[in-house]
Amino acid sequence: MMQATLAELAALVDGRVAGDGDLAIRGAAPLRHAQPGEITLIDKADRGDLLATSEASAAVIPSLLEAPGFPAIWVEDTHRAFALIIARFR
């Protein structure tokens, strides 16, 4: 099974890690479908609260959004970054 660390994915998308950079990620999925071990996407600040109920292990989030205690990659362009991450796991 392919996997990457959160830090490796952050480097791929020129993002900044929040949380454990050694966290193993094995796939990517939309917020409502993400499972443990997967990274998801939050593209708007008003969706940040949904992280609390997500099973995802990490999220790609806008650089101005805070996600206290949730492993994340802060980026300028969330959709571009998430597309690159999805391609990495294909």
Side-chain angles (χ1 to χ4, degrees):
M1 175 181 295
M2 287 179 44
Q3 70 176 29
T5 66
L6 193 61
E8 289 169 340
L9 294 176
L12 173 72
V13 300
D14 296 322
R16 188 165 49 96
V17 173
D20 182 6
D22 292 327
L23 180 67
I25 303 295
R26 60 172 174 72
L31 184 63
R32 298 191 192 281
H33 302 288
Q35 297 296 311
E38 293 180 323
I39 192 167
T40 193
L41 165 76
I42 294 290
D43 58 355
K44 296 178 183 151
D46 63 350
R47 299 184 77 201
D49 293 344
L50 298 174
L51 284 178
T53 58
S54 174
E55 292 187 39
S57 292
V60 174
I61 62 175
S63 57
L64 300 178
L65 181 69
E66 292 192 27
F70 199 90
I73 300 173
W74 280 309
V75 296
E76 292 299 319
D77 184 339
T78 53
H79 292 278
R80 177 188 169 279
F82 198 61
L84 288 169
I85 290 170
I86 289 170
R88 163 69 174 73
F89 287 112
R90 288 201 172 158

